[in-house]
Amino acid sequence: MIRTGVSVLGWALLATGALASVVLLALRLVTELHTLHPVVIAVASFIPLLWIPVLIACLGLLLVLRARWRLLGAVVLVAAMTVFAWPLLPQSERSDTPIAVGSPLTVLSLNLQFGRADIGEVSELTTADVDVLALQEYTPDFEEELAATGLLDQFSHQVGTADTDASGTMLLSRTPVELVAEAEGTVFENLIATTTVEGTDWHLGVIHTAPPQMGADVWARDGAAIEDLAAPYLDQNLLLVGDFNAIDQHHTMQEITAGGALRDLAARRQGEGLGWHPTWPAGTWIPSFARIDHALVSGGVLGEVSQFETVDGSDHKALLVEVVAREE
């Protein structure tokens, strides 16, 4: 009777884990599937967690196999976990690291969730080292709160708009900024502006693409628009930050970063340990599981996302991005 119960549990785990693994693997390999339906996009958000259903399937296999075959199941389990763990192992250091030049640029990026982010916590994150604020879902009410704290006086140069819904996008800078490009046809405002910080010229983009629930076609169209927006400035010191409403493995992000002209500073690098920093949802009972907020840079830029911070009132984590120009 006990053996029967164990066998039933094993088959259940094996079938469930194998099915989920196949689905996630297919979505990882064929990203065009993401453009079919919002549900597909949502399921694809769990691609980074592929190891979980693989582990479940392997455990189910161990329970199903008879005693003399369980060693084979254990080997399969170890092999599967080795495949997933290998990129996390320390790697030899490279000696061809480019040389950073000029002064660092620090940008604080945050989706304010309809302007509800706690102004006190935003102020605490906005230290004297922060040069630029890149804010999404920027509202007139939040702008008034910024003015009351004195931050608008410190960041007196701005491009973008405030809106009463999620459409508001704003770049606030301590140094003069000039709007050079806006994405065409996107649901929310997406822009690129230029500024000069201590002699270094920068192209800074604030990004907020359509969420999947607006439709897979709209989501994919916005992603393509961001690719087009960035294309003329890839040979500049370019930094794009914001809410891309897609993880690294989603079709839109794969297209934006295709060819390596743009790379994500928040992405885990091989040999750097777990390095997984989901940014959404934040501040809820649901644990953060998707990193849909990004910092993309062109080949002329070095840097990192030094902090991922939860801010009361926002369902996204704030990103503190530190970059410098570089020379080969």
Side-chain angles (χ1 to χ4, degrees):
M1 187 69 175
I2 294 178
R3 174 60 192 170
T4 301
V6 171
S7 181
V8 170
L9 175 61
W11 280 112
L13 292 176
L14 178 58
T16 302
L19 177 60
S21 298
V22 169
V23 169
L24 291 179
L25 184 59
L27 292 176
R28 178 67 180 90
L29 297 176
V30 188
T31 62
E32 289 81 1
L33 295 173
H34 306 172
T35 63
L36 296 178
H37 196 277
V39 172
V40 181
I41 301 172
V43 173
S45 300
F46 293 94
I47 290 174
L49 302 178
L50 174 60
W51 63 273
I52 294 178
V54 170
L55 175 60
I56 290 173
C58 290
L59 290 175
L61 181 63
L62 282 174
L63 295 177
V64 168
L65 293 174
R66 295 186 179 276
R68 63 178 177 272
W69 291 104
R70 285 183 182 168
L71 178 60
L72 175 62
V75 170
V76 172
L77 175 60
V78 172
M81 292 303 98
T82 299
V83 169
F84 286 104
W86 183 261
L88 307 181
L89 298 177
Q91 306 293 316
S92 59
E93 295 185 3
R94 299 183 57 174
S95 60
D96 58 349
T97 303
I99 301 172
V101 297
S103 300
L105 172 76
T106 302
V107 178
L108 178 66
S109 174
L110 176 63
N111 182 315
L112 302 169
Q113 195 181 12
F114 303 106
R116 298 171 186 159
D118 184 89
I119 188 62
E121 295 188 15
V122 173
S123 297
E124 289 180 5
L125 291 174
T126 309
T127 63
D129 295 329
V130 174
D131 301 292
V132 174
L133 299 176
L135 304 175
Q136 307 97 58
E137 301 195 18
Y138 185 84
T139 64
D141 287 345
F142 189 82
E143 187 167 61
E144 290 182 5
E145 293 182 353
L146 275 180
T149 65
L151 283 176
L152 278 187
D153 293 330
Q154 299 177 41
F155 295 84
S156 57
H157 307 281
Q158 62 186 55
V159 292
T161 57
D163 209 327
T164 54
D165 58 15
S167 301
T169 298
M170 184 64 66
L171 187 149
L172 300 164
S173 174
R174 297 185 191 273
T175 53
V177 291
E178 178 183 357
L179 180 67
V180 295
E182 291 185 274
E184 296 183 3
T186 54
V187 174
F188 309 130
E189 186 176 15
N190 294 270
L191 59 86
I192 292 179
T194 60
T195 190
T196 301
V197 178
E198 297 189 19
T200 302
D201 297 327
W202 293 95
H203 281 69
L204 305 175
V206 189
I207 306 302
H208 187 199
T209 60
Q213 56 265 36
M214 288 188 170
D217 55 340
V218 176
W219 175 81
R221 184 193 66 203
D222 268 22
I226 300 307
E227 185 180 358
D228 292 339
L229 175 68
Y233 309 103
L234 296 178
D235 59 346
Q236 305 294 322
N237 293 324
L238 174 65
L239 168 64
L240 305 178
V241 293
D243 175 10
F244 287 72
N245 272 303
I247 65 171
D248 285 334
Q249 296 83 2
H250 270 135
H251 178 73
T252 53
M253 289 300 296
Q254 289 286 300
E255 291 295 300
I256 291 172
T257 58
L262 288 171
R263 67 186 190 285
D264 194 347
L265 296 181
R268 181 184 58 76
R269 305 295 194 271
Q270 188 177 40
E272 290 183 348
L274 291 176
W276 186 53
H277 300 283
T279 62
W280 183 90
T284 70
W285 62 272
I286 304 174
S288 300
F289 64 86
R291 186 170 58 78
I292 60 177
D293 300 270
H294 301 270
L296 305 184
V297 294
S298 60
V301 178
L302 278 173
E304 64 176 354
V305 179
S306 59
Q307 292 178 239
F308 296 82
E309 298 290 344
T310 300
V311 176
D312 284 346
S314 174
D315 57 347
H316 290 251
K317 290 184 181 180
L319 274 59
L320 189 67
V321 186
E322 299 175 339
V323 291
V324 291
R326 72 179 187 176
E327 62 181 13
E328 298 296 340

